[in-house]
Amino acid sequence: MSSHDRKDNRKPDKPTPPEPDEQRRTRKSHESENQDEALEETFPASDPVSPFIPAKLPK
């Protein structure tokens, strides 16, 4: 994984060694748990969806 943004023109001083498989699995699992938690907080399934009811035209 890169340690700088795509638009960052600065080249790293030295290439980073490949991430060990166990460390990568742990990191990915943590990222996945964070994503799931954020989705649950943002879009809870218990929130009802209100139907669209157009406003009445003034007479």
Side-chain angles (χ1 to χ4, degrees), residues 1-19 24 27-28 31:
M1 185 169 170
S2 179
S3 63
H4 63 282
D5 290 338
R6 189 171 50 158
K7 294 181 181 179
D8 189 359
N9 291 332
R10 183 180 61 84
K11 300 289 183 195
D13 295 338
K14 59 183 178 179
T16 57
E19 187 175 30
R24 182 176 190 279
R27 180 178 53 81
K28 289 291 192 177
E31 288 174 0

Side-chain angles (χ1 to χ4, degrees), residues 17-34:
E19 187 175 30
D21 288 341
E22 183 59 34
Q23 186 178 2
R24 182 176 190 279
R25 276 194 290 276
T26 303
R27 180 178 53 81
K28 289 291 192 177
S29 174
H30 183 70
E31 288 174 0
S32 180
E33 289 170 7
N34 284 345

Side-chain angles (χ1 to χ4, degrees), residues 28-52:
K28 289 291 192 177
S29 174
H30 183 70
E31 288 174 0
S32 180
E33 289 170 7
N34 284 345
Q35 179 73 21
D36 291 345
E37 182 180 347
L39 285 173
E40 287 175 12
E41 290 175 358
T42 307
F43 301 106
S46 62
D47 282 354
V49 176
S50 58
F52 174 72

